[in-house]
Each structure stands twice: as C-alpha cells, then as structure tokens.
Amino acid sequence: MSLRPTYVVPVDVLGLNPDARSKTAYDYVRDQNLRAMVESATGNVNVITNIVDANVLTSMSDLVQMTTNYTGLRDQARLMFRVVFKDGSYVTVIVNLEHQNGESEVGSERTAAGQLIPADIQQVQGTWTDYGGENLGRMADHMASLGASMKYTGPTTSGFVKGITCSGSANGKTCVVEYMIR
C-alpha cells in the first residue's frame, strides 16, 4: 500500500485530435483506439513535463535508477494521471518512467460523480443513483449495449432516470431503471 499523488489532467492538455477530445469515459471503455491514443499521449514526455514538477520527475528517475525490483520501490516510481473528459467523466492512467506509454488502471473509468462505468457485463451489478447530477440515461443505454436486460418503471416519456439497480449472474443481468417526473 502506498500513497501517491494523482495529477488531474483535462483531456485537452493531451493534444489529441478534436474528435478524440470530444469523447467521454463511456467511449473510452468501448473504444480501444481512443484508449491507445490517451495512453500514448499521457506517456509523452512533453505532456508529462507540462504537468509534473521537475523535482518530482528527478526524484522518481533517481529512485528507478538506484533501486532494484526486489525492494518493491521500483514499482512505486509511477505517476498517476486522472484524465478528465469534457462531461466530467474520467479514467486513471499510470505512467511508468521506464515505458513509453501510459497504462489505464483497470476499473478506473468513472462518471463525473465517481460511479463505475462498467467495461463488461460482469461489472453490471449493484445500484447507480442520480445523486451528484448524474445522467443515468446514458448509463442505462451503456448497460443495455453491454447485454443487460432492461426493465423500466415510472414515467419513461416525461421523466428522468433516478436510479438503476442491476442483479443476476454471468450473462443473465437484469437492470431495473427507475424514472421520476422532473
């Protein structure tokens, strides 16, 4: 266990093309090319030096050069970047100074309020709420695209999604989507 800083990086800072900059963490989960572009840009030395203080980079570089992997310190010489998309959703990318590209932290894709964006049908389990101003309509569509069976309750034509509760096993996931009048 360790405590290390996470640098918050708006997606615009990465220098991606306009189409990639307009994407969200929902897209990131499903688009391997977008993932590769973000990981590559996050590992770019010009991006890193614009975000991270030179003293931190020097210290981490020294740590990598002086330690062996047996001590476990080499594994600690990594930078954590929270890449924030335009809608506020985000993903954490880990940059190891010994590698050219960053690497997404598994399961770090989150909505603006910090709720998990499932990457596959196995992660569609639990309750998602609109607390924090979430757009759960997008979440419901995403879960349906992963293969969950959706059941809708409440005024679906004139309301907004208040909550989603999913249960089931393996590929037999069922989600109850609760609508509420605005």
Side-chain angles (χ1 to χ4, degrees), residues 15-93:
L16 302 174
N17 68 57
D19 184 54
R21 288 193 308 262
S22 70
K23 302 293 184 180
T24 69
Y26 288 98
D27 301 311
Y28 191 88
V29 166
R30 307 220 29 161
D31 185 339
Q32 292 301 311
N33 188 41
L34 176 62
R35 180 181 294 264
M37 286 190 286
V38 169
E39 289 175 343
S40 184
T42 307
N44 181 296
V45 69
N46 294 327
V47 171
I48 293 170
T49 55
N50 284 333
I51 299 166
V52 179
D53 182 74
N55 293 330
V56 172
L57 283 176
T58 301
S59 298
M60 293 185 78
S61 181
D62 290 346
L63 183 64
V64 168
Q65 291 175 11
M66 292 182 192
T67 61
T68 67
N69 217 16
Y70 293 113
T71 63
L73 291 175
R74 182 171 285 220
D75 292 335
Q76 302 304 314
R78 303 180 302 171
L79 297 168
M80 308 284 283
F81 293 102
R82 177 175 287 175
V83 177
V84 181
F85 296 94
K86 299 245 186 230
D87 68 343
S89 62
Y90 58 90
V91 61
T92 301
V93 179

Side-chain angles (χ1 to χ4, degrees), residues 29-181:
V29 166
R30 307 220 29 161
D31 185 339
Q32 292 301 311
N33 188 41
L34 176 62
R35 180 181 294 264
M37 286 190 286
V38 169
E39 289 175 343
S40 184
T42 307
N44 181 296
V45 69
N46 294 327
V47 171
I48 293 170
T49 55
N50 284 333
I51 299 166
V52 179
D53 182 74
N55 293 330
V56 172
L57 283 176
T58 301
S59 298
M60 293 185 78
S61 181
D62 290 346
L63 183 64
V64 168
Q65 291 175 11
M66 292 182 192
T67 61
T68 67
N69 217 16
Y70 293 113
T71 63
L73 291 175
R74 182 171 285 220
D75 292 335
Q76 302 304 314
R78 303 180 302 171
L79 297 168
M80 308 284 283
F81 293 102
R82 177 175 287 175
V83 177
V84 181
F85 296 94
K86 299 245 186 230
D87 68 343
S89 62
Y90 58 90
V91 61
T92 301
V93 179
I94 300 167
V95 176
N96 182 332
L97 296 180
E98 295 180 313
H99 300 288
Q100 183 175 3
N101 295 323
E103 183 177 12
S104 299
E105 183 176 41
V106 176
S108 69
E109 298 87 357
R110 297 280 189 268
T111 65
Q115 297 186 91
L116 174 71
I117 299 173
D120 57 44
I121 193 67
Q122 286 73 25
Q123 291 181 328
V124 178
Q125 186 78 24
T127 301
W128 285 258
T129 64
D130 72 339
Y131 300 117
E134 294 286 14
N135 175 359
L136 290 181
R138 177 91 194 254
M139 182 65 79
D141 292 343
H142 177 71
M143 291 172 170
S145 74
L146 292 174
S149 297
M150 309 305 279
K151 293 184 180 180
Y152 301 94
T153 64
T156 58
T157 58
S158 63
F160 67 98
V161 179
K162 179 175 176 37
I164 304 171
T165 303
C166 301
S167 60
S169 60
N171 291 334
K173 301 287 182 166
T174 301
C175 296
V176 177
V177 180
E178 180 186 353
Y179 279 82
M180 185 173 197
I181 295 175

